[in-house]
Amino acid sequence: MMDVLLDKLKFDANGLVPVIVQDVESGQVLVMAFTNREALEKTIATGKVHTYSRSRGRVALKGESSGHFQHVKEVRTDCDLDAVLIKVVQVGGACHEGYRSCFFRRYEAGGGDWKVVEQPVFDPKAVYKK
Amino acid sequence: MMDVLLDKLKFDANGLVPVIVQDVESGQVLVMAFTNREALEKTIATGKVHTYSRSRGRVALKGESSGHFQHVKEVRTDCDLDAVLIKVVQVGGACHEGYRSCFFRRYEAGGGDWKVVEQPVFDPKAVYKK
């Protein structure tokens, strides 16, 4: 795909930039991931967020297993052109652990662990069953 | 500093994790940066966001030149413990180009460049003059 805007992004040595996905309605930050040129092209072409999964070594459609797609409303970049922010309408939950947002744990000084401060919105065992 | 919560974070090979800074009031994503153990300790100890500047090769207090500090209200991590979200009260603007948020440019299909869709909130020439 020819796209001069994507050409302007400063991908790192691995061809990646960090991407933040945000709920366009609530402003909640849903997930932080990495994307590359191909994933961005597919995101724009389909209107559904695709990211580059470093663990799987490939571009992945967010929600491909769960059906919890992220419908793109806006794509932004930052002053340095090395990070992307995508505002979306989130179906279900963004987190594979069943939460709306992956950022469901909070720092509390003196605690023994990061404290879970959100409620799950789906049951991962039911959604990811094969 | 002994802090078992910070020990649980999965810093990369360079000792870094991505950090998203978000306006606690409006939900606006202000900046995406990198942080390390030392920057997080200083962030928590002082209540002001510190990040690790890869270009300067050191921990930096956000706002040290401009006075545009980010006062920490909440620190979160994600399901994989490899990203951090900090909710803040932002003084002035987070972006060195004079904008409230670094994400002031939007993708518009067919455009020749990313479109500036925000208004500056301060004059960088005045704020960063030395």
Side-chain angles (χ1 to χ4, degrees), chain A residues 32-85:
Chain A
M32 144 80 220
F34 286 89
T35 188
N36 64 8
R37 169 92 195 206
E38 180 192 352
L40 280 170
E41 288 173 356
K42 288 186 173 174
T43 296
I44 290 164
T46 64
K48 293 196 186 85
V49 172
H50 293 64
T51 59
Y52 181 80
S53 168
R54 291 178 299 173
S55 57
R56 285 176 281 177
R58 65 171 178 87
V59 170
L61 168 63
K62 189 82 180 135
E64 66 184 351
S65 302
S66 62
H68 293 173
F69 302 111
Q70 296 177 322
H71 297 282
V72 177
K73 295 299 163 185
E74 196 175 340
V75 178
R76 292 196 178 203
T77 190
D78 70 349
C79 45
D80 296 327
L81 293 155
D82 62 2
V84 173
L85 171 68

Side-chain angles (χ1 to χ4, degrees), chain A residues 18-20 29 31-34 78 82-85 103 114, chain B residues 6 9-12 15-22 29-37 39-41 43-44 48-54 60 62 70 72 74-78 81-88 102-103:
Chain A
V19 57
I20 302 162
V29 174
V31 61
M32 144 80 220
F34 286 89
D78 70 349
D82 62 2
V84 173
L85 171 68
F103 292 92
W114 292 77
Chain B
L6 297 186
L9 294 177
K10 294 175 186 155
F11 297 100
D12 71 10
L16 303 177
V17 288
V19 57
I20 302 162
V21 183
Q22 182 181 30
V29 174
L30 297 169
V31 62
M32 144 82 220
F34 286 88
T35 188
N36 64 8
R37 169 92 194 207
L40 280 169
E41 288 173 358
T43 295
I44 290 164
K48 292 196 187 85
V49 172
H50 293 63
T51 59
Y52 181 80
S53 167
R54 292 178 299 172
K62 189 83 178 134
Q70 297 176 323
V72 176
E74 195 175 340
V75 178
R76 292 195 177 203
T77 189
D78 70 349
L81 293 155
D82 62 2
V84 172
L85 172 67
I86 307 181
K87 299 187 189 187
V88 303
C102 293
F103 293 92

